[in-house]
Amino acid sequence: MHTQTIGQAAPATTAPVTPASGIPTPTRKLGTFSIAMMIVAASAPLTVIAGGAPSSFAVSGVTSVPAAYLVLAAVLALFAFGYAAMARHITNPGAFYAYVARGLGRPLGVASAIGAMVSYLAMEFGIFGMFGFTVADWLTVRFGLETSWWMWALAGVLIVGMLGMWRIDFSARVIAVLVALEFLAVGIVDAVGLGAAPEGYPLDAINPASLITPEVGVLLAFGVAAFMGFESAAIYAHEAKNPRTTIGRATFLAVIGVGLFYSISAWALTVGVGPSQVVAQSEELGPGIVFALIGAHLPEVVVDIVNALFITSLFAALLSFHNAVSRYIAELGRERVAPQVFAKRTQSGAPIVGSLTQTALSIIVTLGFVLGDPGDPLYPVLTMFTWLTNTGAFGLVLLMCFVAVAIIAFFIRDDRGVGAWSRLFAPAIAAIALGAVFILVLVNFPLMLGQEEADLLTWILPSLVIVPGALGFAWAMYLKSARPEAYAGIAADMDAPTGVIPIVHPAPGADRASVMADAHEPAPEAAATRC
C-alpha cells in the first residue's frame, strides 16, 4: 500500500478533495479582527452583562462576580497558548474535533466532534428561546402589542438560516456592526454606573482574593458560560487569510478583550447600584436591573435603544453559533465521517447543507418546546434558554478539558520548535483549572437549572452531550474496521493550494487488516508530515 501526505505531489490515485467532490473552495477573506468579532458575538457581551451577571449576583449572594470573570479569563488565556500553538500546525476547521483527534486519537476526535456540535446546537436553540421572549416582551411593554414568543423565535431561525447561506465575509460584517453596537450599549451602562456610584468605588468585587468564599463554585460555574464560543476561531481555518497566525491572534484578542470587558462592566454595575444593594436588586429585577439603572439617569429613548441592542446582541450570537455549527457539519462531510452531501457548499463557499440542516433542527426543537408551553410568560427563558444553554456550557467545558490534554499529547511526540510554556505548562495548568471548573459545573448543575435539588432532568440534559459523543466514538471504531480509507482521513489538514488531504490507498492485493494497520499507526515520517 502507499500513503499520500500533505506537501507531496498527489499521484493519480489521490484526488484533491475540493475539485473531485465538486465542492467549491471557501475563499480566504477573514482577518484577525473579523474572526475575533465572530467569537465575541457568540459570547454576546450585552447578554452577559444584562442577563448573566445579575443571575450570578442573585444565585451566589455575593458581589465577587467581576473577580470571577477576571479569573476565568486568565484560565482561558492559558488554554489559548496551547490552542494557538496547535493552530499553527493544524489547519483543519474541525477545531476541537481535529485537535483531540491529532492528540488523543481519531475515535476520541470524532466523539469530540459530535459532542461539540451538540453543545453548540444546544446553545443556539436555547438562545432562540430567549430571542423570541425578548422581542415579544419588548413589543408588549413598549407598544402594548401582544405576540407569541415562538413567532419571533421561528422568525429568527429563518433569518439566521438565510444569512448562514451567504458569503461568510458578509456575515462577518453584519456581526461586526452588531458587536460594535453591543459594546456601545454596555459602555453606556458602564458610564451610568460609574457616574452614579452611590457608595463610592470599592474594589473588593474585582479583587480575585474575594473569591476565597464558599460561593466560588457557583460564581465560576455560572461565569464560564459567558465565555462560550471563544474557542471557535479554528472553525474558520479554511476562510482565514492566514490560519496559522490569524486563529491564534483572534483567540487571544477575544478572550483577553472580553474577559477584561466583562470584569470591568460587572464592576461598574456593582458600583452603579451599590455593593450593598446589587445582590438584592439582582434577585428582585434579574436582567431588569441594567435597564432600571440607566432608566433612572437617562431619557427613556436611551433605554429603548439599549433594549433593542439587547435583541441584536442575541441575534449576533445566534448567527455566530449557526456559522460555527455549519462548518462542523461540512467538515465531517468533507472527511466522510458523515455523508458527503453535508460537505456541499455554495459557489461562495458557504456550507449550504450544514446551514439548512441546523435550520431544520432549530425549527423542530422550537416547535417541540412550543408544544410543551404551559402558558407561563417566562417559559421560554426558564426552560428552553436555561436548560439548553447550560447543557451547551457543560459540554464545551468538558471538551476544553480534552483539548488541553490533547495539546500536551500532540507536542510530546514532536515539539515542532514550540516553547515549553505553550506546549506543556500553559495547557497543563489550563487542563487542571478547567477540570476543576467542570466539576463545579457538575456539582452546581441543579442550581444552574433553577432546581432546589437534583432530579431526572439533572441527568437527562448532560446525557444529551455525553451519549451522542459515545455514539461518535463507536462510529469511529466502525469506520476503523469497515472503511479504513475514511478513518485514515479523519482530522487531516486540507492543504491550502491543492486541497489534498492524506488518504490511505490499498495497493493491489493488500488485505483490509494491513490497510487498517497503516491507517491507524502511520510510519514516523508520514506521521510527522501529516501532523
Side-chain angles (χ1 to χ4, degrees):
M1 64 172 292
H2 63 275
T3 304
Q4 176 64 30
T5 56
I6 296 173
Q8 297 175 339
T13 53
T14 303
V17 171
T18 301
S21 59
I23 302 168
T25 303
T27 54
R28 296 189 175 276
K29 294 188 175 183
L30 298 181
T32 298
F33 181 77
S34 295
I35 294 177
M37 287 301 98
M38 295 274 199
I39 299 170
V40 173
S43 299
L46 181 54
T47 303
V48 169
I49 299 306
S55 295
S56 295
F57 283 124
V59 175
S60 69
V62 297
T63 61
S64 303
V65 174
Y69 288 140
L70 205 58
V71 168
L72 286 166
V75 170
L76 296 178
L78 288 172
F79 175 86
F81 275 101
Y83 193 75
M86 289 284 274
R88 291 197 297 271
H89 297 279
I90 298 176
T91 54
N92 182 300
F96 279 170
Y97 156 55
Y99 294 0
V100 173
R102 294 292 190 89
L104 302 178
R106 295 179 177 98
L108 277 177
V110 175
S112 297
I114 305 303
M117 256 196 325
V118 171
S119 298
Y120 282 128
L121 282 170
M123 297 289 284
E124 183 181 350
F125 297 157
I127 295 172
F128 274 122
M130 175 64 85
F131 177 81
F133 166 81
T134 304
V135 175
D137 184 63
W138 183 65
L139 290 174
T140 300
V141 172
R142 189 69 183 88
F143 302 105
L145 181 61
E146 296 285 345
T147 56
S148 298
W149 67 270
W150 55 265
M151 290 173 47
W152 301 107
L154 291 175
V157 169
L158 296 176
I159 296 171
V160 168
M162 179 182 67
L163 290 174
M165 293 187 289
W166 290 7
R167 285 169 38 176
I168 186 62
D169 55 321
F170 177 79
S171 289
R173 284 194 292 268
V174 171
I175 286 173
V177 171
L178 295 179
V179 169
L181 292 172
E182 278 190 73
F183 279 115
L184 174 62
V186 178
I188 292 172
V189 176
D190 292 352
V192 170
L194 295 175
E199 300 175 23
Y201 302 91
L203 298 176
D204 293 347
I206 206 168
N207 183 355
S210 68
L211 292 175
I212 304 175
T213 170
E215 291 79 14
V216 63
V218 177
L219 289 169
L220 296 179
F222 269 78
V224 73
F227 293 87
M228 293 302 95
F230 95 94
E231 74 296 328
S232 60
I235 293 171
Y236 302 99
H238 285 177
E239 290 142 317
K241 291 178 180 178
N242 184 353
R244 297 188 187 277
T245 58
T246 302
I247 301 304
R249 291 172 182 171
T251 302
F252 273 113
L253 177 62
V255 72
I256 293 173
V258 165
L260 290 174
F261 188 73
Y262 287 165
S263 186
I264 293 171
S265 297
W267 176 69
L269 180 61
T270 306
V271 168
V273 177
S276 67
Q277 297 296 317
V278 68
V279 171
Q281 289 201 29
S282 293
E283 291 173 343
E284 179 185 352
L285 301 175
I289 189 174
V290 169
F291 302 105
L293 174 62
I294 59 177
H297 298 87
L298 296 175
E300 185 179 4
V301 65
V302 178
V303 180
D304 285 340
I305 291 172
V306 174
N307 259 303
L309 292 177
F310 182 49
I311 294 171
T312 62
S313 166
L314 294 168
F315 183 83
L318 289 167
L319 184 55
S320 183
F321 279 118
H322 184 94
N323 285 335
V325 175
S326 295
R327 282 150 183 81
Y328 256 109
I329 294 172
E331 187 60 18
L332 291 175
R334 183 182 76 85
E335 295 184 0
R336 293 181 291 171
V337 175
Q340 281 190 289
V341 67
F342 288 110
K344 184 175 179 59
R345 292 177 180 259
T346 64
Q347 288 303 312
S348 64
I352 183 170
V353 177
S355 180
L356 290 172
T357 299
Q358 64 177 313
T359 296
L361 289 173
S362 298
I363 292 172
I364 292 170
V365 170
T366 300
L367 292 177
F369 275 91
V370 170
L371 292 176
D373 189 347
D376 181 355
L378 290 175
Y379 169 77
V381 177
L382 298 178
T383 56
M384 189 170 177
F385 177 76
T386 301
W387 292 2
L388 297 181
T389 55
N390 283 310
T391 300
F394 164 88
L396 291 173
V397 174
L398 176 60
L399 288 167
M400 281 192 282
C401 295
F402 276 107
V403 173
V405 175
I407 291 167
I408 297 170
F410 178 78
F411 286 112
I412 279 179
R413 292 193 287 272
D414 182 353
D415 65 23
R416 293 168 170 79
V418 177
W421 172 254
S422 293
R423 63 179 166 81
L424 178 60
F425 295 116
I429 298 170
I432 294 169
L434 287 167
V437 172
F438 178 70
I439 292 171
L440 292 173
V441 170
L442 274 181
V443 171
N444 291 282
F445 204 64
L447 192 60
M448 295 170 71
L449 298 179
Q451 301 170 322
E452 294 184 1
E453 58 183 26
D455 61 14
L456 185 60
L457 183 68
T458 312
W459 301 100
I460 290 175
L461 292 177
S463 71
L464 296 178
V465 175
I466 294 173
V467 171
L471 292 175
F473 185 95
W475 177 247
M477 296 305 293
Y478 166 78
L479 292 177
K480 179 178 178 179
S481 61
R483 291 166 49 195
E485 69 287 350
Y487 182 84
I490 290 175
D493 283 342
M494 184 168 80
D495 184 77
T498 64
V500 177
I501 63 172
I503 298 177
V504 179
H505 300 277
D511 60 15
R512 178 179 295 276
S514 65
V515 173
M516 192 58 252
D518 278 355
H520 185 55
E521 299 290 346
E525 65 272 17
T529 309
R530 185 181 304 154
C531 295

